[in-house]
Amino acid sequence: MSLPSQPQAYGAGMAGGSFDPVEFIKRPQVILRIVSWVFSIIVFGCISAGGYYDHMCQMNDSGACGFGVGIGVLAFLFCIGFLVIDALFDNMSSVQHRKYAVLADLGVSGLWAFFWFVGFCFMADMWRRSANENPAALAPNGHGKDNVQAAIAFSFFSIISWAALAFFAFRRYRQGTSDTLTTGYAGDQPQNQSSPYSSFPGSDASDPYQQPFSGQKSSDIPDYQPPTY
């Protein structure tokens, strides 16, 4: 016996359901959000810990360190914010609010995938040119080298994770509002819509204005008598 499908709106059921943390963690977009959150910590943490030497960015003394820290910190905050939205998404009773949340997720995820791509190219190029163009910015004995390389590597991984988040947000947006959700939110309507008035006793429920024809003459009605002049 198959269970009836639940009404859906933008990838979630009707509001009012109980929150299941286990099922929440298993969602692909939640897993990707946590992964992106960890990547952002690694990027700005590595740059802050070993990306600078003598107040100079080891990546050719350019703005690559500041750019990496900036997008990393903002990605960290966005991940926390959208994790909260994901947790509250099923309890949003307004379909319009769900639409705005999905559009915000799509816009931010797509934009940050682009920013991570720019950051990866910028940091990788500045790190490659640093040894020849500005060796004074490099710390002696390779101090901080692993930090910089880790930041560059995880900025590349962040491109993939944020692009995947944008894909899932786009897919949720394409789902939109299904017919079952529209029916569910409109409420169950009574099946008999033939009349707004209640039927009188003894009548057929399907038509309150007619009695079934029996084909027999009622004994209570006298025979018709023609008038005399």
Side-chain angles (χ1 to χ4, degrees):
M1 179 179 179
S2 60
L3 297 175
S5 59
Q6 296 295 325
Q8 295 283 314
Y10 295 100
M14 294 176 62
S18 59
F19 177 75
D20 188 350
V22 177
E23 292 298 324
F24 175 73
I25 295 297
K26 291 180 180 180
R27 295 178 183 177
Q29 65 267 26
V30 174
I31 297 174
L32 285 170
R33 199 94 63 194
I34 295 174
V35 169
S36 300
W37 178 71
V38 173
F39 288 172
S40 66
I41 295 175
I42 294 174
V43 171
F44 75 76
C46 287
I47 295 176
S48 300
Y52 292 91
Y53 169 69
D54 197 19
H55 305 290
M56 292 185 297
C57 176
Q58 295 202 63
M59 289 177 276
N60 203 24
D61 194 21
S62 63
C65 290
F67 187 82
V69 171
I71 60 175
V73 170
L74 289 176
F76 171 82
L77 297 176
F78 279 134
C79 286
I80 294 177
F82 280 108
L83 278 173
V84 174
I85 293 176
D86 289 338
L88 300 177
F89 193 81
D90 288 350
N91 288 324
M92 292 182 183
S93 58
S94 173
V95 176
Q96 196 70 12
H97 291 167
R98 292 187 178 189
K99 178 181 178 181
Y100 293 151
V102 173
L103 284 176
D105 187 12
L106 175 60
V108 171
S109 299
L111 184 63
W112 242 251
F114 172 74
F115 280 164
W116 280 120
F117 174 75
V118 174
F120 166 74
C121 295
F122 186 26
M123 289 188 290
D125 183 58
M126 289 298 103
W127 176 247
R128 179 185 60 84
R129 294 162 56 182
S130 184
N132 296 326
E133 297 181 6
N134 199 350
L138 297 176
N141 301 321
H143 178 74
K145 178 180 179 181
D146 293 338
N147 296 66
V148 174
Q149 291 177 343
I152 295 174
F154 280 94
S155 65
F156 174 77
F157 299 150
S158 295
I159 300 172
I160 301 174
S161 64
W162 283 89
L165 283 171
F167 167 76
F168 279 105
F170 179 72
R171 192 174 70 171
R172 283 205 299 179
Y173 178 73
R174 287 290 301 270
Q175 286 177 349
T177 308
S178 64
D179 294 335
T180 54
L181 179 73
T182 305
T183 305
Y185 272 106
D188 295 330
Q189 299 294 332
Q191 297 297 324
N192 184 13
Q193 297 289 341
S194 60
S195 172
Y197 306 102
S198 60
S199 60
F200 56 85
S203 65
D204 187 6
S206 62
D207 192 347
Y209 300 108
Q210 294 183 0
Q211 289 183 339
F213 178 71
S214 62
Q216 297 179 356
K217 182 185 296 184
S218 174
S219 60
D220 296 335
I221 302 177
D223 294 338
Y224 172 75
Q225 299 293 333
T228 59
Y229 300 95

